């Protein structure tokens, strides 16, 4: 019998004869497959080893991320194996990268446990990422159907309720990460919190690696920080918050810290991405139950999101985090010190903030993504930004965003309060000018200069950081494809 | 002290012409403008007194300015703010909020600390003004 290597074997006796088959022969390549509305879809960028056919590689990814193993097993015949198999249904070459392909794969809803990011990711980014026939593999985007989304809590608070709790509308929120990251005592640390909030910021923030070290144990930090927050509230008449990092070694420790933060009257806590998907979902449930805004610092993501050929695109992480239920997520600045191509970042911001995200290949969005009833997640722009960029930040990032100026507040030559004043004045004058119909993209620098005439702290900020920019080529840009049509 | 609630409190007070431009921006976005006032500006006093309902059918900024001026005239010693309500799906909330009048003298808040066990402190903000009855909280005669 002449076994074609590139087509599915339909004769069952032949299909289940012991031995090794190509993944295509096993049925993981279904070019005629029409994805169902309930399917979870994934698009991977695959780089096959030399000599490995891209369609076979795509079928292998479908197989290894669903039901397959390396050899034929008769126990498949005890199941409706056709139904459980993930199906690679489309392979496109990546423009400009002859060795790379976009592979589209459909997964049936029944392959996944409801409401579990851990279960979803164990399949989609499980064994398959170490698979030898591929040189590299990157998860570019996913389409999560509303049927599956509705099994997730989503953001504990969401943008709308966060603004209502903070009594803060019509402008981006302002924050700052406390510096130095490590070494301050609780008392000294609370001083920085107080100065920044009193000066005009809405939030201050623990850094990702501030937990409970010898120089400042967590209880001490929380107590001094809340003194600073409350004092700043009394002196400004505004609601203020500080992201108390509850990241710890065990869930028990994290719950203990979160409860203490709540009992002290904090409106917000934070966690790091490195605590893991399950711990994040647990904290999101805790946050919903305790009226707490939940900030996520994406510590660790750069190890797998940054390279274009291998890992996971950050837009997928953002999607999973909106499902997992965090309220804030660091999502890039475009103009600051950290990685960020403007189109890629736009795609991530849309993923955080829109209730329906249409396919947009320019922004790296491969599928229409309706968000069902999940609340909106506030993106946070942090890292190397300063008051002089306010017009660019407002232009690129819009209004529902937390702009975090750490160095840009604490490093101000006239002090921390002055740094906060400079940022707040720059922001308010830019929003006002935009609303008045002015072209802030072009007139931004003049608008800032005009405000600096009556605001000395803004003048000093503009003078100090006027030449700072981070113009490096981005390592993660979009490979634009023509809009796909139905296959 | 100057209470800095609202989206433009760090800028010099807006002139009427500037207020009108902001109202125009809200109206052009399809939002409904509302005017609210209070003599109790505690940051968690959510419900200021409404100067009528949000002006759902008023699309002319000059008309909104007339309502605003009437409110300011009747409550010259109150805090007054302009709000914009957005009824669109995904928002259904306030999209703008800025102060357009404040009392000449703003006494501010006392931070009341109640010490508890384990060095914990329960914080309460108490307005210096609301200690007086509503009629005289900011009037010059009531000033100490």
């Amino acid at each position: 019998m002449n076994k074609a290597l590139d087509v599915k074997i339909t004769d069952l006796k032949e299909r289940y004869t012991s031995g090794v088959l190509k993944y295509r022969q096993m049925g993981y390549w279904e070019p005629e497959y029409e994805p169902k509305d309930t399917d979870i879809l994934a698009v991977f960028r695959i780089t096959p080893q030399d000599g490995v056919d891209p369609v076979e590689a795509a079928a292998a990814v479908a197989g290894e991320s669903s039901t397959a193993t390396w050899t034929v097993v008769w126990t498949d015949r005890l199941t409706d194996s056709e139904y459980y198999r993930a199906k690679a249904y489309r392979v496109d070459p990546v423009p400009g990268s002859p060795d790379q392909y976009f592979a589209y794969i459909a997964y049936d809803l029944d392959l996944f446990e409801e409401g579990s990011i851990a279960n979803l990711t164990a399949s989609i980014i499980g064994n398959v990422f170490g698979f030898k026939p591929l040189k590299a593999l990157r998860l570019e985007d996913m389409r999560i159907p509303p049927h599956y989304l509705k099994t997730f809590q989503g953001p504990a608070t969401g943008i709308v309720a966060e603004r209502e709790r903070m009594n803060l509308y019509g402008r981006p929120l302002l924050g700052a990460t406390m510096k130095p990251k490590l070494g301050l005592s609780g008392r000294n640390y609370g001083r920085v919190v107080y100065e920044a909030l009193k000066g005009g910021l809405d939030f201050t923030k623990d850094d990702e690696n501030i937990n409970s070290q010898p120089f400042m144990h967590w209880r001490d930090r929380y107590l001094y920080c809340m003194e600073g927050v409350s004092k700043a509230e009394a002196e400004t008449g505004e609601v203020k918050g500080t992201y108390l990092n509850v990241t710890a070694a065990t869930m028990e420790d994290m719950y203990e810290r979160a409860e203490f933060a709540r009992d002290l009257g904090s409106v917000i806590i934070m966690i790091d991405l490195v605590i893991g998907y399950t711990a994040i979902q647990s904290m999101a449930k805790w946050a919903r139950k305790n009226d707490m805004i939940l900030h996520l610092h994406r510590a660790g993501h750069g190890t797998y999101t940054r390279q274009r050929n291998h890992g996971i695109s950050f837009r997928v992480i953002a999607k999973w985090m909106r499902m997992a239920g965090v309220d804030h997520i660091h999502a890039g600045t475009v103009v600051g010190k950290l990685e960020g191509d403007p189109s890629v970042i736009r795609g991530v911001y849309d993923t955080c903030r829109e209730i329906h995200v249409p396919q947009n290949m320019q922004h790296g969005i491969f599928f229409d993504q309706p968000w069902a009833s999940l609340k909106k997640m506030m993106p946070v722009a942090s890292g190397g930004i300063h008051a002089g960029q306010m017009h660019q930040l407002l232009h690129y990032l819009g209004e529902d965003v937390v702009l975090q100026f750490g160095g840009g507040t604490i490093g101000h030559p006239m002090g921390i309060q002055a740094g906060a004043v400079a940022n707040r004045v720059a922001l308010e004058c830019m929003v006002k000018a935009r609303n008045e119909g002015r072209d802030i993209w072009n007139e931004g620098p003049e608008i800032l200069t005009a405000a600096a005439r009556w605001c000395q702290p803004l003048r000093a900020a503009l003078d100090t950081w006027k030449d700072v920019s981070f113009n490096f080529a981005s390592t993660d840009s979009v490979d634009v494809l023509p809009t796909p049509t139905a296959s | 002290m100057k209470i800095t609630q609202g989206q433009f409190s760090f800028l010099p007070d807006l002139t009427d012409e500037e207020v009108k431009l902001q109202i125009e921006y809200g109206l052009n976005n399809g939002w409904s403008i509302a005017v609210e006032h209070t003599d109790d500006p505690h940051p968690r006093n959510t419900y200021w007194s409404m100067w009528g309902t949000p002006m759902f059918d008023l699309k002319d900024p000059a008309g909104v300015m007339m309502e605003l001026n009437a409110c300011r005239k009747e409550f010259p010693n109150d805090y007054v703010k302009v709000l914009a309500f957005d009824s669109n799906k995904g928002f259904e909330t306030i999209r703008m909020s800025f102060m357009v009048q404040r009392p000449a003298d703003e006494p501010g808040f006392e931070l009341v600390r109640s010490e508890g066990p384990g060095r914990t402190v329960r914080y309460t903000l108490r307005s210096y003004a609301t200690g007086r009855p509503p009629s005289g909280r900011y009037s010059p005669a009531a000033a100490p």
Side-chain angles (χ1 to χ4, degrees):
Chain A
M1 193 180 301
N2 182 22
K3 275 196 202 171
L5 292 177
D6 55 353
V7 292
K8 181 173 163 182
I9 299 171
T10 48
D11 178 78
L12 289 182
K13 189 155 188 295
E14 191 188 333
R15 165 67 177 80
Y16 288 106
T17 303
S18 293
V20 176
L21 294 175
K22 295 283 183 192
Y23 288 89
R24 271 178 294 183
Q25 294 175 307
M26 289 196 273
Y28 295 100
W29 168 243
E30 295 267 14
E32 307 300 319
Y33 183 72
E34 287 276 339
K36 301 191 294 265
D37 286 349
T38 54
D39 283 348
I40 288 166
L41 305 180
V43 56
F44 291 91
R45 179 193 296 250
I46 57 176
T47 312
Q49 295 280 10
D50 298 338
V52 174
D53 178 80
V55 169
E56 176 60 17
V61 171
E64 289 297 322
S65 61
S66 63
T67 55
T69 188
W70 60 279
T71 187
V72 170
V73 292
W74 64 266
T75 40
D76 272 356
R77 300 190 74 177
L78 300 173
T79 72
D80 187 353
S81 54
E82 188 77 17
Y83 177 76
Y84 292 113
R85 239 175 246 141
K87 295 154 185 82
Y89 63 94
R90 176 184 175 133
V91 173
D92 294 330
V94 174
S97 303
D99 58 335
Q100 298 178 8
Y101 301 84
F102 289 127
Y104 290 72
I105 298 172
Y107 300 83
D108 192 273
L109 196 54
D110 280 354
L111 292 173
F112 305 102
E113 177 177 347
E114 59 276 13
S116 172
I117 299 287
N119 179 251
L120 175 71
T121 54
S123 281
I124 306 285
I125 57 164
N127 286 351
V128 63
F129 272 72
F131 193 52
K132 279 184 179 169
L134 300 172
K135 278 186 197 157
L137 178 65
R138 188 186 202 218
L139 178 56
E140 288 283 346
D141 198 9
M142 291 187 77
R143 191 278 307 266
I144 313 288
H147 318 69
Y148 194 48
L149 283 179
K150 285 288 282 186
T151 67
F152 286 84
Q153 171 191 281
T157 311
I159 292 178
V160 169
E162 172 172 355
R163 284 191 175 280
E164 293 189 349
R165 285 185 203 171
M166 298 298 294
N167 188 28
L168 222 168
Y169 312 97
R171 63 165 173 85
L173 286 66
L174 283 177
T177 308
M178 299 299 88
K179 306 284 174 185
K181 287 166 93 148
L182 299 170
L184 290 169
S185 71
R187 186 187 187 284
N188 290 340
Y189 194 90
R191 162 65 74 185
V192 187
V193 167
Y194 165 68
E195 296 289 324
L197 295 177
K198 161 89 163 95
L201 304 190
D202 307 302
F203 287 126
T204 50
K205 173 181 176 295
D206 287 345
D207 225 327
E208 76 283 6
N209 49 1
I210 279 283
N211 296 159
S212 192
Q213 283 99 322
F215 52 82
M216 176 172 59
H217 289 118
W218 65 273
R219 282 183 64 97
D220 224 28
R221 179 168 87 258
Y222 291 15
L223 287 164
Y224 283 114
C225 282
M226 290 315 296
E227 170 71 19
V229 168
S230 306
K231 203 167 146 61
E233 285 187 339
E235 291 173 5
T236 59
E238 296 181 86
V239 181
K240 305 279 186 184
T242 195
Y243 317 163
L244 295 170
N245 192 349
V246 303
T247 298
T250 66
M251 281 313 296
E252 291 74 20
D253 291 336
M254 288 205 287
Y255 285 133
E256 184 188 8
R257 294 178 193 189
E259 283 161 13
F260 191 57
R262 174 200 61 198
D263 294 346
L264 293 176
S266 183
V267 296
I268 186 164
I269 57 170
M270 75 173 264
I271 50 176
D272 291 337
L273 182 59
V274 291
I275 67 174
Y277 302 136
T278 298
I280 291 170
Q281 282 195 265
S282 289
M283 291 313 298
K285 290 203 164 145
W286 184 93
R288 172 73 65 85
K289 205 183 288 180
N290 290 278
D291 299 315
M292 193 68 83
I293 302 168
L294 183 62
H295 177 95
L296 177 80
H297 187 113
R298 56 177 172 169
H301 84 95
T303 55
Y304 49 82
T305 59
R306 197 173 174 202
Q307 299 305 324
R308 260 202 298 178
N309 67 339
H310 190 81
I312 310 171
S313 145
F314 189 73
R315 78 186 69 90
V316 175
I317 301 294
K319 204 166 268 197
W320 292 345
M321 291 303 105
R322 187 165 173 184
M323 295 157 72
V326 306
D327 292 312
H328 283 190
I329 188 166
H330 290 246
T333 61
V334 182
V335 297
K337 71 176 178 184
L338 302 177
E339 179 64 37
D341 170 79
S343 304
V344 170
I345 290 197
R346 180 64 198 278
V348 175
Y349 271 64
D350 285 351
T351 295
C352 295
R353 298 190 295 202
E354 298 298 323
I355 54 178
H356 179 95
V357 184
Q359 181 195 56
N360 185 328
M361 302 303 279
Q362 258 79 17
H363 296 167
I365 305 291
F366 285 72
F367 305 104
D368 284 352
Q369 178 63 65
W371 274 100
S373 326
L374 270 60
K375 290 171 188 288
K376 301 188 286 187
M377 179 168 67
M378 185 81 85
V380 175
S382 177
I385 56 177
H386 56 82
Q389 299 161 327
M390 199 57 82
H391 52 298
Q392 297 164 317
L393 291 166
L394 193 58
H395 170 87
Y396 280 123
L397 310 179
E399 208 162 274
D400 280 330
V401 58
V402 185
L403 302 175
Q404 289 194 173
F405 304 88
T409 299
I410 299 160
H412 193 282
M414 295 161 65
I416 300 169
Q417 281 194 36
V421 168
N423 288 320
R424 180 81 174 261
V425 168
L427 177 66
E428 291 192 359
C429 76
M430 203 56 66
V431 170
K432 176 169 172 284
R434 180 201 64 181
N435 295 0
E436 286 170 349
R438 293 186 64 184
D439 170 10
I440 59 167
W441 180 253
N442 289 308
E443 298 172 34
E446 305 167 31
I447 294 165
L448 291 172
T449 310
R453 272 185 218 117
W454 55 265
C455 179
Q456 181 54 33
L458 179 56
R459 176 74 274 152
L462 296 179
D463 290 345
T464 304
W465 293 303
K466 62 177 180 296
D467 297 322
V468 177
S469 66
F470 297 89
N471 292 322
F472 299 99
S474 191
T475 58
D476 178 21
S477 51
V478 174
D479 292 305
V480 178
L481 277 179
T483 305
T485 49
S487 53
Chain B
M1 71 166 286
K2 182 182 181 187
I3 288 172
T4 44
Q5 297 171 17
Q7 63 192 111
F8 301 128
S9 281
F10 272 64
L11 303 181
D13 291 346
L14 270 55
T15 63
D16 277 10
E17 196 44 47
E18 288 173 321
V19 171
K20 202 170 149 193
L21 286 171
Q22 295 299 320
I23 291 171
E24 245 173 55
Y25 173 78
L27 291 172
N28 289 340
N29 278 291
W31 304 335
S32 302
I33 310 297
V35 174
E36 295 183 357
H37 65 97
T38 191
D39 61 4
D40 174 14
H42 188 286
R44 289 189 168 84
N45 175 14
T46 306
Y47 304 114
W48 292 22
S49 304
M50 295 192 289
W51 181 258
T53 53
M55 296 169 241
F56 298 107
D57 303 311
L58 193 44
K59 306 295 178 204
D60 174 16
V64 177
M65 287 304 292
M66 279 173 63
E67 291 296 330
L68 169 58
N69 287 330
C71 176
R72 289 196 285 207
K73 193 169 170 206
E74 187 160 338
F75 299 98
N77 296 316
D78 271 15
Y79 291 89
V80 178
K81 67 183 170 186
V82 169
L83 302 163
F85 285 88
D86 180 356
S87 62
N88 285 299
K89 186 83 196 106
F91 291 97
E92 298 165 289
T93 186
I94 296 162
R95 297 298 296 279
M96 301 175 77
S97 171
F98 57 96
M99 215 85 94
V100 289
Q101 177 177 285
R102 54 178 76 235
D105 175 47
E106 298 184 77
F109 303 94
E110 179 191 5
L111 182 62
V112 182
R113 295 180 180 81
S114 309
E115 291 89 346
R119 296 178 55 237
T120 58
V121 177
R122 208 157 278 280
Y123 298 98
T124 302
L125 259 62
R126 196 189 64 81
S127 164
Y128 290 113
T130 50
R132 292 194 285 268
S135 56
R137 285 179 179 171
Y138 297 98
S139 65

